[in-house]
Amino acid sequence: MSLKIFETHSHYYDDSFLHDRDEVIERQFNYGVKKILNCAVDIDSCKKTIDIIDKYDFIYGACGIHPSYSKYYYKITYEDDLYKFNKHKKVLAIGEIGLDYYYDNIDKEIQKEVFRNQLKIAKDLDKPVIIHCRDAYADTLRIIKEFMPIRGVVHCFSGSLEIAIELIKLGFYLGISGISTFKNAVKIIEVIKEIPIEYLLTETDCPYLSPVPLRGKRNESINIEYIIKKIADVRNEDFYKIGDTLYKNALKFFSL
């Protein structure tokens, strides 16, 4: 049985792929990565994402403003650009958007404003959202509830089981990344074990967060195989069965 992979969060416009991007992307498909979502973080990467998805049939896009870039956009008009990008037939979601309180150099109120603006765009266009949440789960949940019903995934999920349960009650999915293979991934392992498999998606966040045993190296979508193996091991289920379920989860989430 062959393994089909749906990479639900990547950044192939990143400069780390500057010199071998085409080679790397072609390698993904040949290995078994049959669909990839490339996620933008600002207007410039939205433009680059459009270029990539226009070039490769099996790559789709998400366009949005990451919270770390929100301070550059709250005083200028960016909504028209986001509406334009997200009306592209291969842009499947609004993202990567959300809140990040890990660093204290970005005003929380600015982040919330930009986050809410993009959730409104998602509602207007009836598209799911790709949410970045770091040390901000309480506010993220509170703001999501303001816009319900809305579909989405919290990418690179690192919260507790209690938060995971709150999210799936809202119909949200959880993105499981290479963090699940780290030695200190206690909370993620509990989530993988307890949350219904139907609410899990797999992602790399490449070129970042390479899984064990590849930590420190540039990440690629083919490394999702390590994440699927971790999920299968934790749940004590067949590797290929889990892989097939995760692939179908992504097809359903993105309505493909």
Side-chain angles (χ1 to χ4, degrees):
M1 184 177 181
S2 60
L3 179 67
K4 289 194 295 185
I5 290 173
F6 195 136
E7 157 75 279
T8 64
H9 199 108
S10 65
H11 302 284
Y12 280 108
Y13 55 79
D14 190 86
D15 284 348
S16 63
F17 297 109
L18 188 61
H19 300 295
D20 62 350
R21 183 175 293 110
D22 290 340
E23 176 188 338
V24 171
I25 288 176
E26 288 172 8
R27 180 164 66 241
Q28 310 311 303
F29 187 82
N30 292 336
Y31 187 87
V33 182
K34 299 307 180 185
K35 296 186 185 298
I36 292 174
L37 189 79
N38 192 85
C39 299
V41 294
D42 60 5
I43 296 301
D44 183 58
S45 57
C46 284
K47 295 174 183 177
K48 292 176 180 177
T49 293
I50 298 299
D51 289 341
I52 290 173
I53 66 178
D54 281 343
K55 185 173 184 178
Y56 294 97
D57 289 342
F58 72 107
I59 302 183
Y60 300 84
C63 289
I65 308 297
H66 187 286
S68 295
Y69 292 86
S70 59
K71 62 183 177 181
Y72 303 114
Y73 290 96
Y74 79 105
K75 286 186 177 180
I76 66 173
T77 301
Y78 57 86
E79 289 90 346
D80 289 347
D81 283 333
L82 289 185
Y83 273 108
K84 178 184 70 177
F85 293 135
N86 281 288
K87 287 179 180 178
H88 190 292
K89 63 182 180 180
K90 289 186 69 186
V91 173
L92 304 182
I94 316 296
E96 171 180 358
I97 67 176
L99 302 173
D100 192 319
Y101 294 171
Y102 183 76
Y103 299 105
D104 60 5
N105 63 338
I106 307 170
D107 186 275
K108 292 180 181 179
E109 295 307 313
I110 291 173
Q111 292 190 49
K112 292 176 187 176
E113 177 185 333
V114 174
F115 186 28
R116 286 189 172 99
N117 288 347
Q118 294 181 93
L119 287 171
K120 181 181 182 300
I121 293 173
K123 289 278 285 188
D124 289 347
L125 297 179
D126 190 27
K127 289 193 173 184
V129 290
I130 312 295
I131 292 182
H132 172 102
C133 179
R134 193 175 187 189
D135 293 351
Y137 282 105
D139 281 351
T140 298
L141 278 165
R142 190 178 303 114
I143 292 172
I144 286 171
K145 290 176 181 178
E146 295 174 12
F147 290 85
M148 294 302 294
I150 193 168
R151 297 184 300 117
V153 55
V154 176
H155 109 89
C156 206
F157 184 75
S158 61
S160 66
L161 178 60
E162 290 73 21
I163 293 169
I165 290 171
E166 283 295 308
L167 285 165
I168 69 168
K169 283 180 180 177
L170 299 175
F172 270 63
Y173 286 57
L174 309 174
I176 306 301
S177 70
I179 292 176
S180 62
T181 68
F182 297 176
K183 288 182 179 179
N184 61 347
V186 178
K187 289 192 294 184
I188 307 301
I189 296 305
E190 186 179 21
V191 167
I192 291 172
K193 187 181 297 183
E194 300 296 336
I195 293 297
I197 190 70
E198 290 78 14
Y199 289 97
L200 302 184
L201 302 177
T202 48
E203 59 170 84
T204 60
D205 199 26
C206 72
Y208 316 107
L209 295 178
S210 292
V212 174
L214 303 172
R215 292 192 69 175
K217 298 181 180 180
R218 183 182 65 178
N219 208 359
E220 299 179 13
S221 299
I222 57 178
N223 296 331
I224 283 179
E225 180 175 353
Y226 293 99
I227 302 167
I228 295 173
K229 184 177 187 305
K230 172 59 71 170
I231 294 172
D233 289 347
V234 169
R235 298 178 69 93
N236 194 29
E237 296 185 37
D238 179 74
F239 171 79
Y240 289 102
K241 180 181 178 182
I242 286 290
D244 184 61
T245 298
L246 292 165
Y247 186 81
K248 290 176 179 176
N249 288 353
L251 292 177
K252 179 180 179 182
F253 177 77
F254 290 112
S255 301
L256 291 176

